[in-house]
Amino acid sequence: MEELTSYAKRRGFVFQASEIYGGLGGFWDLGPYGAELADNIKASWWKEFVYKNANVVGVNTTIIQNPKLWKASGHIDTFVDPMVDCKECKHRFRADHVAGIDTNDLKKLDEKLKETACPNCGARHSFTPARTFQMMFKTYVGPIEDDANVSYLRPETAGGIFAQYENVRETTRKKLPFGIAQIGKAFRNEITPGDFIFRLRELTQMELEFFTKPKEAAKQYEFWKDYCMQWLLSLGLNKENLRFHDHADDERAHYAEASVDVQYNYPFGFKELYGIANRTDYDLSAHAKQSGKDLTYFDEETGERFMPYVIEPSVGVERLLMAVMLDAYDEEEVNGEKRVVMRFAPHIAPVKVAVLPLSKKPELSKLSQKVFSEIAGEYNVEYDETQSIGKRYRRQDEIGTPYCVTVDFDSLNDDSVTVRERDSMKQERIKISELKSYLSAKLFV
Ligand code: GAP
């Protein structure tokens, strides 16, 4: 993890937020390549989940909502994590992590903690009783900081979707089954953020709430479970590093009847990457009760009225970005030298093409800039004329650029350039007039 963290910084993928002030636990910024990679992942998700499904539409709801929404959803009362302190060294921990059991049951945790040594100082019988901690960030809306004006930064993007369910259904005239998708920030005051960008306090979620007839919920759950796995594989993730993990009763969120994680094999073991849950009619029923609005659905075919069930696939962009980086990282020996190469799938690579004049001679720069202008605009293209061509190839390999275009002295006479493919390092001579369509075909197959 240390190697990945320092690599991600050195190559401009991820920086500690407010680093010049010593950082802030659980907050990370995306640098130029990280931001591109994240945007490409988000674009791929949106295409796959929204554009490819005629019955899915997207929304963009606010981070701060009426706090009644979080009361209804159960987050005010139950979105809590158990924590303990070591009385010896004063370190604070997630009680379930130290105890090594996946539960929020305080009694069970206390029992287990009696036999557990403090991971920081090794003291025994030193833990305080486990207690719960509210994970939503609190804020005040308006100038007066009193209880009447308390609100929260959303802990999941789903809340806004449920609150707009009826507006979306009416305006789009959708019939069940249909889905509402959203990509946006979520905030969780995690007790122990860490493992680089695995557990954050500010994260980005890509969530689909798929509304279905209750009797079709189990079938839809299986469908979306498989759909998520296929999409992860399409990003280039290695099948062997992915597996399903079904949740036991005490692992499930307060709203879920069934849930499964797609886990990724991180350096610290298989851990949750993607969560898929059957949220039943929990949310719509709770919002109907709290708001007094009828959110039931009338099925014209059967004449029945009922509350729809919801299947929810949800994934964090940063956690996925980390998995994608870990999976893409490769080292090999070429002519006796180590080559580091990020084998990103071309459609998500942060830089798609680098234009590299063989030398800084004005006539080459002029033609190279013309080549750059011809292909730039639709995807991220870099222009680099510093250092030797070998070093520039290595630099592009290290950020995972699938194609390098070299403009050399022959280009001045034959109107052609050399295109080098990242993985095979094979080179091909291509006419400048055909370069744009050649690259598009390779990049977006
Ligand atoms: N709406 C359902 C929901 O939020 P979750 O399992 O708590 O469910 C869904 O979160 C996904 O969001 C996780 O699978 C993970 O990818 C990401 N995620 C959750 N908490 C995170 C955190 N603190 N840091 C980074 N990603 C997180």
Side-chain angles (χ1 to χ4, degrees), residues 157-394:
T157 69
I161 296 182
F162 294 125
Q164 292 298 355
Y165 159 78
E166 192 61 7
N167 276 338
V168 174
R169 192 190 63 76
E170 267 180 26
T171 52
T172 60
R173 302 181 321 279
K174 291 285 178 215
K175 299 225 182 318
L176 290 183
F178 74 94
I180 307 179
Q182 171 156 238
I183 299 180
K185 291 276 188 176
F187 301 82
R188 298 177 178 195
N189 202 358
E190 297 279 357
I191 298 168
T192 47
D195 287 324
F196 188 34
I197 53 173
F198 180 80
R199 187 165 289 102
L200 296 165
R201 288 183 166 135
E202 175 175 335
L203 57 135
T204 314
Q205 286 188 315
M206 303 191 282
E207 299 203 291
L208 169 67
E209 306 306 319
F210 195 78
F211 300 91
T212 172
K213 294 180 184 177
K215 47 179 184 282
E216 289 174 8
K219 188 180 82 187
Q220 292 294 351
Y221 177 74
E222 290 305 321
F223 172 84
W224 288 107
K225 202 176 131 178
D226 182 53
Y227 199 89
C228 292
M229 182 61 99
Q230 293 310 318
W231 178 68
L232 291 174
L233 293 172
S234 80
L235 296 180
L237 289 178
N238 184 342
K239 206 171 181 182
E240 259 123 61
N241 287 330
L242 296 167
R243 72 176 188 197
F244 286 115
H245 166 74
D246 283 306
H247 283 179
D249 286 352
D250 55 358
E251 281 179 88
R252 277 200 288 275
H254 60 274
Y255 46 71
E257 181 182 280
S259 53
V260 60
D261 289 340
V262 179
Q263 295 185 327
Y264 180 77
N265 190 10
Y266 294 97
F268 43 88
F270 273 98
K271 288 273 178 304
E272 175 180 356
L273 168 61
Y274 214 132
I276 300 120
N278 177 353
R279 293 180 75 130
T280 67
D281 59 357
Y282 174 91
D283 299 274
L284 289 184
S285 296
H287 290 300
K289 193 164 165 220
Q290 179 86 25
S291 65
K293 297 267 183 299
D294 180 7
L295 298 178
T296 55
Y297 178 86
F298 180 68
D299 187 342
E300 284 165 7
E301 277 171 25
T302 62
E304 286 171 327
R305 183 169 282 284
F306 56 87
M307 200 60 91
Y309 267 36
V310 174
I311 304 303
E312 176 197 64
S314 169
V315 63
V317 173
E318 297 81 2
R319 200 175 277 192
L320 178 53
L321 182 139
M322 181 170 140
V324 164
M325 286 189 72
L326 285 163
D327 225 82
Y329 187 92
D330 197 15
E331 286 177 5
E332 63 182 8
E333 208 182 287
V334 179
N335 302 331
E337 273 184 41
K338 185 173 99 171
R339 177 171 95 117
V340 172
V341 51
M342 292 296 260
R343 300 194 192 275
F344 292 128
H347 70 293
I348 58 166
V351 177
K352 302 278 185 274
V353 181
V355 175
L356 313 172
L358 194 61
S359 90
K360 275 189 192 166
K361 290 256 161 53
E363 61 270 39
L364 281 196
S365 290
K366 198 170 158 213
L367 180 59
S368 303
Q369 275 159 18
K370 193 174 149 250
V371 169
F372 175 87
S373 305
E374 265 175 39
I375 55 174
E378 279 167 44
Y379 45 80
N380 198 18
V381 182
E382 250 186 28
Y383 183 89
D384 186 5
E385 53 182 20
T386 58
Q387 298 186 306
S388 74
I389 191 72
K391 282 201 174 130
R392 281 180 279 162
Y393 280 153
R394 293 289 170 270

